């Protein structure tokens, strides 16, 4: 009987020690880098635990959550209409993160921050794009992104979130509009190509005309030079003939030359 009582006592002590160790070790916890732990006591916020080894009161304190401080990205797809009645689908990525000094606000004030951000993006885009024509939307997409970031920054700061960056990465018009835009672009390119071909043909024509003119000029100068040489030769021949045969005139010599050329031509 005594032995049974002692055995029971040992068992109770063993369970007590094991329970104590469990409770003792449960009071310690670790928090990873770029993460905080929200500690509650009896359901009420107590404190924020930063990365490293932490300690809490066992059975009294609990870790309500471990919000991440890393930058997250939400891609918001918005469908809207431009001023010239063209439906477009826009992709607006938003990068955001929890402000380290406002982890409590971020954890308790917003149940779904991504849904909140998406609502504000929809509101900003659908307020601005309908005031722009389609071409302006492409040209001013950076202004749209800046407006989204400003609106979100002013609002989300109260909830403990900071907006790192907002972009407009894709603007996709309706399929029929894209086809029409491609056709217009192709027509413009064809017109430019036609102008370039016309200019090239014009240059070739001008160069060809200049070459022909230069050729004719040189040919004329050659004929003139040839005739001048003939005249010079005839003049010298007439002068020599007159000096060799007394009593002859220039007309007699020219008549003789013409007759000689006449017979040479007949011979040929």
């Amino acid at each position: 009987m005594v032995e049974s009582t002692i055995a029971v006592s040992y068992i109770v002590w063993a369970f007590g020690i094991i329970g104590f160790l469990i409770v003792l070790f449960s009071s310690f916890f670790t928090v990873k880098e770029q993460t905080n732990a929200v500690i509650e006591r009896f359901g009420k916020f107590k404190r924020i635990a930063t990365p490293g080894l932490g300690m809490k009161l066992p059975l009294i304190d609990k870790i309500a959550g471990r919000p991440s401080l890393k930058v997250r990205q939400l891609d918001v797809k918005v469908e809207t209409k431009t001023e010239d009645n063209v439906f477009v689908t826009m992709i607006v990525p938003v990068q955001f993160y929890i402000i380290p000094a406002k982890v409590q606000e971020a954890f308790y004030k917003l149940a779904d921050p991504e849904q909140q951000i998406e609502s504000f993006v929809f509101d900003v885009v659908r307020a601005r794009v309908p005031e722009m024509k389609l071409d302006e939307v492409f040209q001013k997409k950076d202004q749209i992104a800046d407006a989204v970031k400003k609106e979100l920054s002013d609002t989300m700061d109260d909830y403990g979130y900071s907006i790192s960056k907002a972009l407009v990465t894709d603007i996709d018009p309706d399929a029929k509009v894209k086809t029409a835009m491609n056709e217009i672009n192709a027509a413009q390119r064809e017109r430019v190509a036609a102008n370039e071909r016309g200019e090239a043909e014009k240059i070739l024509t001008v160069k060809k005309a200049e070459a022909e003119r230069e050729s004719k000029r040189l040919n004329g100068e050659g004929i003139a030079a040839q005739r001048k040489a003939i005249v010079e030769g005839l003049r010298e021949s007439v002068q020599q003939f007159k000096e060799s045969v007394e009593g002859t005139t220039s007309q007699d010599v020219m008549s003789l030359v013409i007759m000689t050329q006449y017979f040479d031509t007949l011979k040929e």
Side-chain angles (χ1 to χ4, degrees):
M1 185 71 178
V2 176
E3 293 179 354
S4 298
T5 304
I6 294 174
V8 171
S9 299
Y10 281 138
I11 293 173
V12 172
W13 274 100
F15 276 108
I17 292 172
I18 292 173
F20 173 76
L21 292 175
I22 291 174
V23 171
L24 178 64
F25 282 110
S26 66
S27 64
F28 294 96
F29 63 93
T30 58
V31 181
K32 294 182 179 180
E33 194 66 41
Q34 289 297 310
T35 305
N36 281 172
V38 179
I39 309 298
E40 292 181 348
R41 179 172 295 176
F42 298 121
K44 183 180 179 181
F45 172 77
K46 182 62 178 175
R47 61 189 175 88
I48 299 295
T50 55
L53 180 64
M55 186 175 180
K56 60 184 178 63
L57 294 178
L59 305 179
I60 297 177
D61 293 344
K62 74 169 186 176
I63 299 176
R66 296 175 180 267
S68 174
L69 303 183
K70 293 180 180 180
V71 177
R72 289 179 281 172
Q73 178 167 310
L74 175 65
D75 293 333
V76 183
K77 184 177 181 181
V78 186
E79 184 177 357
T80 185
K81 186 176 71 170
T82 63
E83 185 182 3
D84 44 356
N85 295 319
V86 177
F87 284 92
V88 294
T89 301
M90 304 175 64
I91 304 297
V92 185
V94 178
Q95 296 178 352
F96 63 100
Y97 61 93
I98 295 176
I99 301 172
K102 295 185 177 182
V103 176
Q104 181 182 354
E105 291 86 342
F107 186 77
Y108 288 103
K109 284 188 175 182
L110 276 183
D112 191 346
E114 293 187 355
Q115 184 177 359
Q116 185 79 4
I117 290 173
E118 186 174 319
S119 299
F120 279 107
V121 172
F122 270 83
D123 183 63
V124 174
V125 172
R126 288 179 174 173
R128 287 182 171 267
V129 172
E131 298 177 352
M132 303 178 181
K133 296 185 183 298
L134 181 60
D135 291 339
E136 290 180 311
V137 175
F138 282 95
Q139 295 170 1
K140 299 180 179 180
K141 67 176 185 176
D142 290 340
Q143 295 182 13
I144 299 173
D146 291 341
V148 170
K149 181 181 178 182
K150 183 179 184 303
E151 182 72 21
L152 286 175
S153 297
D154 294 342
T155 304
M156 297 301 294
D157 183 75
D158 295 335
Y159 297 110
Y161 287 88
S162 177
I163 306 301
S164 175
K165 186 172 292 186
L167 301 171
V168 176
T169 58
D170 191 19
I171 302 174
D172 190 17
D174 183 77
K176 294 181 180 179
V177 177
K178 288 171 67 177
T179 302
M181 291 175 65
N182 290 333
E183 290 176 354
I184 292 172
N185 188 37
Q188 291 176 343
R189 290 179 180 275
E190 181 61 28
R191 184 164 62 249
V192 172
N195 289 336
E196 292 295 332
R197 287 195 295 268
E199 288 296 325
E201 292 176 358
K202 177 182 177 181
I203 292 173
L204 290 175
T205 302
V206 170
K207 291 297 182 182
K208 183 178 180 181
E210 291 177 351
E212 290 180 354
R213 183 181 62 188
E214 183 67 14
S215 176
K216 290 179 179 179
R217 184 184 67 80
L218 294 175
N219 187 39
E221 291 179 356
I223 293 174
Q226 180 183 13
R227 290 176 177 175
K228 182 178 179 181
I230 293 172
V231 170
E232 288 293 332
L234 288 174
R235 185 178 62 78
E236 292 178 0
S237 298
V238 169
Q239 186 65 30
Q240 291 176 0
F241 194 87
K242 287 172 62 179
E243 293 175 355
S244 301
V245 181
E246 295 181 358
T248 58
T249 63
S250 298
Q251 184 64 36
D252 294 335
V253 176
M254 290 301 300
S255 298
L256 179 61
V257 170
I258 290 172
M259 288 297 297
T260 303
Q261 290 181 346
Y262 174 73
F263 286 120
D264 288 340
T265 303
L266 290 178
K267 181 180 179 181
E268 292 294 329

